[in-house]
Amino acid sequence: MLILGIETSCDETAAAIVRDGTHVLSSVISSQRARFENTGGVIPEDAARQQVLCMLPVLNACLAEAKTTPEDIDAIAVTKGPGLLGSLLVGTTTSRTLATLWKKPLIGVHHTLGHLSSTWLAQDDVSQPRRGIARNAPTSGSDVASPFPILTLSASGGHTDLWLRTSHTKGRLLGSTRDDAAGEAFDKGAAQLGLPYPGGPSIAKAAETGDPHAYEFPRPLHDDPSLDFSFSGLKTSLRYLLRDQQFSIFNFQFSISNIAASYQHALCAHLIDRITRALHRHPEIKEIHLVGGVSANISLREMLQKSIHEQTSKPANLPVRQAGQQTALRWPSKLIYCTDNAAMIAAAGEFLVQEHGGKAYEQFETTASLPLAMAVS
């Protein structure tokens, strides 16, 4: 299938055309990140107004880049929720109008399912290997062994969830955050450090010259048997650390780098701790996927790669696995597929049709607070 995807759940206005859920023919994103840098976050009404202005130019650019006409498209997929209601309505209203004018079926996609589908989006040059421990991209083709069950960490500014997936659209939620999301913890930490929004890239840049072990942060939920996350304690610890630190003009920048590196390390260590616990409980897992904006964090990727290697090289750690059996680790092939984009929505639409048939085209409501449990069945 050739699917037009549309994503407007927050401040991006995005459209993409994807073939068979994997091959991206075009992906166009109009981001308002620079617009909201000085406000420390998105202003919903302003974001929606800008999306109204950007929607048609983005669509036209998307079709032109893919050298595709409306007649070539088999279906339209759009984010139905969750997100900012005004922004979501821009996308769903546009999609409903196009579906009527072009006489195409419409697929409503849960935003989280889009992120879960992002690791299947291929690079422009499909001959190039993906980054990660496993070098071959996962595929939904029937002639290739299934990569499922997959353990997926989906982490961004709005959510942090751990999924055990038995297919593209089936599985269950193992754990989620009890307070702040991981990306939110990065944003709020950056604000305390005087670093610009968004916090993830700012803290990562500041941490490049810092020592990740310079300061010790608490280990959230360390004795809790669940697979849930909690980041509010780390944020509070950072505030107390900054209060207690006595900076001088001579060591200010150096200290900020060390604090940023230590704070980033603590956030990543908490994420990896939950992944490791899940691997112990579910040794049948074949692959681990990182998705969402936080999956772009290089420190998280490197720390997880090291952790997986240590776990799988010692059979006592994972008794059901064979010694040396490597668990594939994957993340989106491009940075733009980590953050909100329409290609992942088109891919999710493809997988919904593959696994649910005509039910994928059922009517839906645009909902700002769509339950997380509805992401997969």
Side-chain angles (χ1 to χ4, degrees), residues 3 5-7 77-79 109-111 114 341-350:
I3 295 183
I6 294 176
E7 153 63 26
V78 63
T79 304
V109 175
H110 194 293
H111 181 76
N341 66 91
M344 69 181 191
I345 301 302
E350 169 79 21

Side-chain angles (χ1 to χ4, degrees), residues 5-176:
I6 294 176
E7 153 63 26
T8 61
S9 64
C10 190
D11 59 331
E12 286 87 7
T13 309
I17 294 177
V18 178
R19 180 187 293 120
D20 300 330
T22 58
H23 303 295
V24 182
L25 304 187
S26 66
S27 180
V28 178
I29 304 174
S30 175
S31 175
Q32 299 182 55
R33 173 180 293 186
R35 186 180 187 87
F36 296 119
E37 279 184 354
N38 295 329
T39 63
V42 177
I43 301 174
E45 294 81 3
D46 194 14
R49 283 192 291 267
Q50 291 301 312
Q51 287 167 321
V52 170
L53 298 176
C54 293
M55 192 73 257
L56 286 180
V58 166
L59 277 171
N60 290 332
C62 176
L63 291 169
E65 183 179 309
K67 298 181 174 60
T68 301
T69 65
E71 289 76 18
D72 300 322
I73 295 171
D74 295 303
I76 300 171
V78 63
T79 304
K80 63 181 180 181
L84 303 176
L85 182 57
S87 294
L88 287 167
L89 286 170
V90 174
T92 55
T93 300
T94 300
S95 299
R96 294 181 198 279
T97 302
L98 293 178
T100 300
L101 292 174
W102 296 351
K103 295 180 174 57
K104 305 294 180 181
L106 181 61
I107 309 165
V109 175
H110 194 293
H111 181 76
T112 296
L113 181 60
H115 280 298
L116 298 180
S117 304
S118 62
T119 48
W120 270 264
L121 298 172
Q123 298 177 358
D124 292 336
D125 183 359
V126 296
S127 66
Q128 294 297 315
R130 285 189 174 218
R131 299 176 62 189
I133 290 177
R135 297 301 180 182
N136 296 318
T139 177
S140 58
S142 59
D143 58 333
V144 179
S146 170
F148 298 98
I150 292 173
L151 180 69
T152 303
L153 172 68
S154 179
S156 71
H159 64 274
T160 302
D161 313 304
L162 195 61
W163 298 87
L164 179 62
R165 300 162 60 211
T166 55
S167 77
H168 287 290
T169 66
K170 300 182 187 303
R172 62 189 177 95
L173 182 65
L174 297 180
S176 58

Side-chain angles (χ1 to χ4, degrees), residues 329-341:
L329 171 61
R330 308 187 194 279
W331 49 75
S333 61
K334 288 186 175 183
L335 178 62
I336 60 171
Y337 302 150
C338 295
T339 55
D340 291 351
N341 66 91

Side-chain angles (χ1 to χ4, degrees), residues 152-276:
T152 303
L153 172 68
S154 179
S156 71
H159 64 274
T160 302
D161 313 304
L162 195 61
W163 298 87
L164 179 62
R165 300 162 60 211
T166 55
S167 77
H168 287 290
T169 66
K170 300 182 187 303
R172 62 189 177 95
L173 182 65
L174 297 180
S176 58
T177 184
R178 296 180 180 179
D179 38 64
D180 293 343
E184 187 179 4
F186 272 109
D187 289 340
K188 292 180 178 179
Q192 292 186 53
L193 291 168
L195 300 173
Y197 174 88
S202 298
I203 288 180
K205 184 174 180 58
E208 290 177 355
T209 56
D211 178 3
H213 304 291
Y215 300 93
E216 185 175 354
F217 283 86
R219 302 169 67 183
L221 303 179
H222 181 64
D223 296 323
D224 191 296
S226 75
L227 294 176
D228 287 343
F229 304 87
S230 175
F231 297 96
S232 61
L234 291 173
K235 179 187 62 180
T236 301
S237 296
L238 176 62
R239 183 170 69 249
Y240 290 155
L241 174 62
L242 293 173
R243 182 197 64 185
D244 297 338
Q245 285 294 305
Q246 299 298 320
F247 296 123
S248 74
I249 190 172
F250 301 105
N251 67 0
F252 179 80
Q253 188 60 47
F254 176 77
S255 297
I256 287 294
S257 296
N258 281 346
I259 294 175
S262 299
Y263 182 66
Q264 174 180 253
H265 185 272
L267 291 175
C268 294
H270 181 41
L271 294 170
I272 293 170
D273 174 71
R274 295 347 240 183
I275 292 174
T276 302

Side-chain angles (χ1 to χ4, degrees), residues 292-337:
V294 177
S295 70
N297 186 281
I298 300 301
S299 181
L300 174 62
R301 295 178 179 183
E302 292 177 347
M303 288 173 63
L304 183 54
Q305 281 183 319
K306 181 179 179 181
S307 177
I308 291 174
H309 177 73
E310 291 174 349
Q311 291 290 324
T312 56
S313 62
K314 299 176 182 179
N317 289 335
L318 295 171
V320 182
R321 296 174 187 269
Q322 296 179 355
Q325 180 179 342
Q326 195 68 277
T327 303
L329 171 61
R330 308 187 194 279
W331 49 75
S333 61
K334 288 186 175 183
L335 178 62
I336 60 171
Y337 302 150

